[in-house]
Structures are given as C-alpha cells and as structure tokens.
Amino acid sequence: MPSRSSESPMNHHNHHRNPNYRSGFSGGGYHYHNQHRPFNSPPNNPPGGGGGYGSGHQMPLSGQKRGFPSSGRGGSPDNTDNSTFAKLFVGSVPRTAREEDIRPLFEEHGNVIEVALIKDKRTGQQQGCCFIKYATCEEADRAIRALHNQYTLPGGMGPIQVRYADGERERLGTVEHKLFVGSLNKQATEKEVEEIFSPYGRVEDVYIMRDELKQSRGCGFVKFSHRDMAVSAINSLNGIYLMRGCDQPLTVRFADPKRPRVGEARGGPAFGGPGFGPRSQAPLGVRPAPNFGEPMSGHVPPNAWHPMSPRNLGPSSQSSPRGFGGNLVARPGAPTMPSTTGAPLGLLGGPANGSLPGLSVLPSSTSQQNFNPSVPQVQAVGQKISPLQKPLQSPQHLPPSHQLHPQQIPPTYSQPQTSQISVQQLGQLQIPQSSGPSFSQPLPSQQLFGLSSQLPISQPQGQQSTSSAAPQQTPLNLQQQAVSATTTQQQLSALTVRQQLLQPLQQSPSHLAQMLSQQTQTLQASFQSSQQAFSHLQQQLHLMQPPSQNMTQQQSSQATKQQLQWTGAASQVATSIPATSPAALAPSTTSAASTVPVSVQAAVPSTCNWTEHTSPEGYKYYYNSVTGESRWEKPEELTLFEQQQQQKQQNQQQQQQKPSVQQPQTQTQPHMQVLSAQQVSQTPQGQLQTQLRHQQQLQVQQPSLSSPYQVSGVFGHQSVQELAGYGQLPAAAGSVIDPASFQQGVRSVQDWMWKSKPAAGT
DNA sequence: CGACGGGACGC
DNA sequence: CGACGGGACGC
C-alpha cells in the first residue's frame, strides 16, 4: 500500500478510478479486506456493555470512535460531539497547488468539509501541505488508503502523504499498530517490505528509514490497522524471516512510542501520559494464572526511552520469538546435537533425495537480479482464481492495488511467469520437488518437528543469497518424512490437495483456480476435523497430568521417537490451536475469548504478559513481555487479568475439582503450548489415534471465531512460540531448524488459516 | 542493532 | 486575559 507511487504526475486523470467511495467499497477490491463486513455498524455501541471485546474489534479501522474521557477533552462518550469530522494532513502538496487542485481528488473518497492549505505565517507562502476535513473517519480512512503514497499532484515531486492530522487519532479513538522492523536489506523497497508483511493483514503504511542520501538504514516501520495483524507479523517474522542478502533475520516488534515532539500537541491530547488515548481492542477471555512469574519484576525498563529494549527482555526472552530467532540464525555449522541420533531417522528418508527446489525461503527475493519481485505474476494466479475464491488468494504478495489492475493479468502463462510462480509462490506452498505444489499448510509444522529431531543439517544461509535457483534441502525431506510418519486424515487430505495441485500448475490458470477452490474446501474440512481433534486432545491432556515437566535427556530421546511418529498429531496441535478454542488453548493476551467450551475453559490457565512500569517522566506505561509492545494506556488484558486474579481465588476450590494444567514453569503462553505438544507426543499412539478418530466423528460445533485476524494472530503466536519452544526442548535441536523452512512453514500455515477463515468463522 | 518521515492548521 | 519560551531521550 505504501509507496505505490503512481509516478504519474501531470496526470490527474488516473485517479478517478475508484468510484466506489461512499458505501460499497467492498466490492471494488483495492483492499483485500475480506471477511469484513463494511462499516455498517451503528454509530454508537449499543451493547451498553461498553464495547464488547469479543467482536467489537472486528471492525476495520476507524472502528468506534466513541470519545474517550481521555485526558482533558470533553468526555462526551458519544462520537457526535467529539468526532463530527476527521482531519487529515496531506504532505507533498506542491506549493503552487490550490484548493481546486486538491479538493476534487479528495472528494472522490468522501465529502470534503474543508480544505486548508497551510501557509507560512509570515511569508504567506504555502508550506506544501494541507488539511482535509471529512465528516467521518470512514471517509478519511478511505482517502488514506486510496491516496497515501499513491497519487502525485501535478507539479508535486512525490506522491502525497495522507494521514491523520496530529491528534486526530487520539481524538477519534483510532489506533494504529506500528511495528519497528530491523535488519532489512538495505536495498529493500517499501513495496517489498509490504509484501513481506501483507500476509498478516492489510499493511497501512511502510516507512523505511533512510539517511540523507536516501540510503536505507536497514530499518523502518510497518503499520497495520489491527493489532492482531501486528502480533501475527511479529510472531511470524521476528527472528525468522531472513531477507535476501542479509545475514540476520528481521527484527519485528512494536515500535517504541515515538517521542512526542513539542508543539505537535495540537488537535488533542496527543501525548499526555497514562489515561489518554484509545482503548485497546483487547481480545481476552483469559483466566488468571496462578503462577504469574512476573517476568521482569523489577529490572525491566530501568532506562529511559527504550523500555522494551531487547536486552531488557529478561527472563521471558527465552520464550519470545526472539529467542528462537537467535537459534535460527545460529551459524550453520553450530554444534547442534540432534539428541535422537540416528534411530528414528528411518522415516526421514535420508537427505539423499533432499535436494528439492521450491522450498526457497524468501518469497519475494529469490532472484538475484530481480530483486524487485514482480508481483503481477503471482497476482495473475490469484486473479484467475476468481472472485469467488477471494479467501483463497493468499494475502501474501497480493497488494490490494495490484488486484485492481486486471490489465496486469496476462491471459496465459508465459515462461517468465511460470518461473516466477515456481520460485515464489510454490516456494511458499512448500512444494515438494516432484510431487508438485503442496497446498497443505498443516505440514509446515510437521516439517519443523521432523527437522528438529532429525536433520542435523541446516541450510547454509549463504546459499540463499548465492543460489537462487535451488534452495534445495531439508524442508522437503522433512515434510515428506513427516508425512510418511503419520497418516491422519488431515494429512491425507493435505496430500490429496498437494497432488491435485500438482496438475494445475501444468495447466491453465483457470483450471488452477478451480482446483484451488476445491482444495480449499478439502482443507477446510480437514481443518475442522483437526480442530476438533485437537480440542479433544487438549481436554485429554488436561486429564492426564504429564508425569514430568522436565524431561531428562533419555526421556526426551524416547519421547522424540514417539514424536517422530506423532508429528502428525503435533502438527495438528499447531494448526488447530487457533481455530479450536482460542481461549482454551491460547489464553494469551492476544487470543480471543469468544466462544469456548466450558469444559475446556475451566482448565485453561492464563497469564497476562503485561506488566506495569513507570517511565522516566513518571508516567505509567505497560509492557508486554511477550510481544515487546509498550503502551501508555493500561491494556484491558491486564485489567481483566487483575480482575480474574481475584475471581480465581474464589473459584479455586472449584478448579481443584477439575484437573488443572497449570504448569509449574509456565509463565508465558509459549511454554504452555510447548508442553502441550510435548504431552501429545508422549501420549500413547493408539490412544491418540482413537482420540482423533473419535473426535472427527463427533463433529462438534465449531467455536466461532470472533475475528479473522485473531485467527492468524493467534495462530502465528502459537505456531511460532510452540516451535520455538521445541527448539529449546532437550530433544529438539531448535538451532538445526532451517529458518527458511521454518518461516515457510509458518507463513504457509498462516496463509492457510486465512483461507480457512471463511469456513471456520462465520 | 537500525527508532520516526518536510511541511502541521488555531479558537 | 495569557501567545511561543525552554531544550532536544540515550543505547
């Protein structure tokens, strides 16, 4: 979305292409805002409950702007008073521009109440910027999406910058979720960065920090409209995604709160310390955890402005994605002892035929010369997939804008396109060499499991940058191994899908589209069953207190054996967690409470990763030990957590009735997940099988997902964390895991989640 | 290992 | 009514 510079100055005619402002924008399609019911919600929140959490945040940006008695400001809770308009700041406006030149452009996206060109107070010269006032933030949002960085006014030296004026967000109660991204390839463009992040949600903006010479400084910021997306991106990319030519994976974390510049406290209480600002749309449904080992009790952010400096991550660092990332990046030759030795490897089919192309790592940066990934090709596929399969279109690499340009879609596959697809798209799909594209997302996790326990080899990073052609290696082996090791229905279906997909690639795009749609359904079906299966397993686990939390090496090796056989189960765990019962399995701060089976809920432990701190200025702020995010306002999660803590005590007696899964060392979700998975692996095979089968037949009603974003968000969280955890288990050699494949896996799975959304949710 | 973009209205 | 001063995180 950013920098989609329409380097077409002089051309004011190229924008009147979005007639769909004012209501029906959903069809248009510049934003693949799938699953979203347009802004049809009533102006104010009826459910007197004060904006229910469960689904309230489902609203796309500009959600409720109900004022917030925040700092100062009139506390009228209803938006009528507070937000009768939404002001945008527009930069890169030619000094020569007049209102007549600007207004029409913005009128296309809403009713412009006012255009204010800014002039220098003294000289009277225009400052190259202006303010646009819309009546609603919906209109404003539309304008931002349509114009920011995408339209260059005649005479302008660059695309206009369109964003909320200072203080508007606060005033309107909207939030942006900005991530700091480090370790970017210095050559990377905004567009590429966007492509990396778009799988996790609509990227609102990308900003790459550059020096005076316009040279990238290797870091930047990415904004998402929803927090879940940001969380998902963090969990999926931080420490995992390695950009071409980089020797270090991306750092992705919530951006520090920008130091407020004096003077920009105009339109509102911009930055007034605690008690201001928008409330967070917090998913909750958490339950208090007895063992809240306050991550970083005292020493967290002692220093000034970097409360969440990575170095301060303290204890929880191990469980954070970050920790895993470290492992991943470990030198290729790092001494990673695959505890299991060779034994179980029988399944592994040996690295012999390990050279499999397609499993490249970086989707968009595989080709050397072409550092600029041509999205269109991929687009072509997505496009051809037909509107019906919207969800099928992997959010990945499908920038909204591209979708709007049918002309970019070649009628047939041309040589170059094909190659593109194979390299990028296929790579993402985890296509096993000769077996064709695998559309099976559930597998990624398997790979990981398999890998961690067997393959001592990790893909040398060097290769990634040197051999664009054949990023061969482990991934496939693992996958295949994993597959052969287990044969659950889910996997079978996955395999089926894969096989089916194989052909499409060699056929026409349209055919492919159909195939995909079918695959999707198949996957969805299997997904559901796996969901249920896991749900059931989860309950089982609760009932079978694991014998030992801390496995010894010997134990672990044994477990590993089983694990090999149970990679399937494990993968299910990973893949089904999100949709199953979010609250039950992922009581993290990011999980949704939504509908949760009571039985399970009771046994769900929970923790709150938020802790309260005080900034140097004396303001309180809150830090999340898992996501690394810091906020000024108190997260609802924490508030709720505290409340629940109390309830917890009261309910404790009842709790005892039911087997509790409280893990001694559990203080963060990741651990919980890890343990769960481990437990699964320890579960007698037959039993599991039975469970699974049983479960599949049960066909229990699906817990509804309150938000599509949560799905991916939660999932990302789970999968990554879980896997990361595995890397730390004695039996698993996390450092052996190929970051590339790992990433691929995660992304693929997430991708799948997205695709499955429709079926799983509503 | 990199931290915020040119410009920022006025009642 | 009062009206732009002061200084500019810190790893």
Side-chain angles (χ1 to χ4, degrees), chain A residues 286-294 587 603-609 640-649 652 655 660-669 672:
Chain A
V286 225
R287 290 175 98 296
N291 46 356
F292 179 48
E294 44 178 313
V604 177
S606 72
T607 61
C608 184
N609 303 314
L640 225 105
F641 174 68
E642 293 174 348
Q643 295 176 358
Q644 293 184 337
Q645 281 266 285
Q646 302 179 346
Q647 295 181 9
K648 166 72 178 180
Q649 297 184 348
Q652 211 139 42
Q655 297 264 334
S660 169
V661 190
Q662 314 301 2
Q663 308 300 337
Q665 44 46 297
T666 297
Q667 70 177 95
T668 58
Q669 296 314 317
M672 291 303 297

Side-chain angles (χ1 to χ4, degrees), chain A residues 302-326:
Chain A
N303 48 5
W305 230 204
H306 283 256
M308 65 309 274
S309 171
R311 299 164 197 85
N312 297 333
L313 273 185
S316 59
S317 63
Q318 41 164 356
S319 59
S320 79
R322 179 161 264 285
F324 187 42

Side-chain angles (χ1 to χ4, degrees), chain A residues 421-575:
Chain A
I421 291 172
S422 63
V423 174
Q424 299 183 355
Q425 198 64 310
L426 292 186
Q428 299 224 345
L429 292 177
Q430 306 282 338
I431 297 150
Q433 51 177 20
S434 55
S435 63
S438 119
F439 201 61
S440 64
Q441 270 50 3
L443 297 181
S445 55
Q446 294 178 355
Q447 295 182 5
L448 295 173
F449 287 82
L451 276 172
S452 64
S453 50
Q454 340 278 335
L455 304 180
I457 330 142
S458 66
Q459 184 175 21
Q461 297 179 348
Q463 280 207 352
Q464 296 174 5
S465 53
T466 46
S467 69
S468 58
Q472 69 239 88
Q473 317 241 340
T474 54
L476 288 182
N477 297 328
L478 297 172
Q479 186 175 43
Q480 295 183 332
Q481 295 167 4
V483 172
S484 64
T486 51
T487 314
T488 62
Q489 296 201 354
Q490 292 75 21
Q491 293 171 343
L492 284 176
S493 56
L495 287 171
T496 303
V497 172
R498 200 179 311 154
Q499 296 179 341
Q500 293 179 340
L501 275 175
L502 200 160
Q503 303 168 354
L505 285 180
Q506 305 167 350
Q507 302 179 9
S508 71
S510 60
H511 200 116
L512 203 174
Q514 295 184 354
M515 299 298 266
L516 284 176
S517 67
Q518 294 178 356
Q519 319 315 352
T520 302
Q521 298 191 351
T522 302
L523 285 173
Q524 290 175 352
S526 66
F527 177 61
Q528 291 189 9
S529 57
S530 64
Q531 268 184 299
Q532 295 159 6
F534 182 71
S535 177
H536 193 122
L537 281 173
Q538 193 67 18
Q539 296 182 40
Q540 290 295 322
L541 288 173
H542 290 320
L543 298 173
M544 334 182 271
Q545 274 293 21
S548 66
Q549 299 304 329
N550 312 309
M551 304 210 305
T552 62
Q553 280 294 354
Q554 300 83 357
Q555 289 177 320
S556 66
S557 60
Q558 285 192 349
T560 302
K561 271 195 174 181
Q562 293 187 328
Q563 195 173 320
L564 280 177
Q565 302 180 332
W566 292 107
T567 48
S571 76
Q572 287 171 17
V573 171
T575 56

